[in-house]
Amino acid sequence: MSNEKKADFSGVSAKVDTTAEKVEKADFSGVTAKVDTTAEKVGSPEQTYTVQKGDTLSHISKQFYGKASKWNAIFEANRDQLDDPDRIKPGQVLKIPAEES
């Protein structure tokens, strides 16, 4: 056996101090936000589509808008070159209006 003394920690105390409880939460009640975009003011740029063999306005509408039922918007935008929505021809370049919200 050894006659060495062991360390005596009986008088040692520990205290953990954190700032987490003392920090006040940030007050954002007076903050406002505004998003300004030119998309609403200028509008979306007009697209065009060149008619392919076998195309219909419904097919083109589904391709651009995700639904065939918007074919009339394409027809109305192209009244200068279309008299009948069922008579589009390959090679025609149609204006595709921006989808209305």
Side-chain angles (χ1 to χ4, degrees):
M1 287 211 169
S2 169
N3 287 343
E4 293 180 33
K5 291 185 178 181
K6 293 185 179 182
D8 179 13
F9 294 106
S10 61
V12 176
S13 64
K15 179 181 177 190
V16 175
D17 194 11
T18 178
T19 58
E21 295 172 7
K22 297 178 181 178
V23 174
E24 293 182 28
K25 292 186 177 186
D27 179 13
F28 295 106
S29 62
V31 175
T32 59
K34 179 181 177 190
V35 176
D36 194 13
T37 176
T38 57
E40 296 169 6
K41 296 176 182 173
V42 177
S44 299
E46 186 176 89
Q47 297 181 44
T48 60
Y49 176 77
T50 303
V51 177
Q52 305 297 309
K53 183 177 179 180
D55 276 344
T56 65
L57 289 180
S58 294
H59 172 260
I60 297 167
S61 172
K62 179 134 175 102
Q63 181 179 339
F64 282 91
Y65 305 126
K67 42 187 144 177
S69 61
K70 295 246 184 194
W71 66 267
N72 197 47
I74 299 171
F75 177 65
E76 290 300 326
N78 291 280
R79 289 293 238 150
D80 59 331
Q81 62 177 327
L82 298 177
D83 294 323
D84 185 336
D86 294 323
R87 294 185 183 248
I88 61 174
K89 299 174 189 148
Q92 280 182 306
V93 178
L94 301 178
K95 294 175 278 219
I96 308 297
E99 187 172 17
E100 293 180 15
S101 304

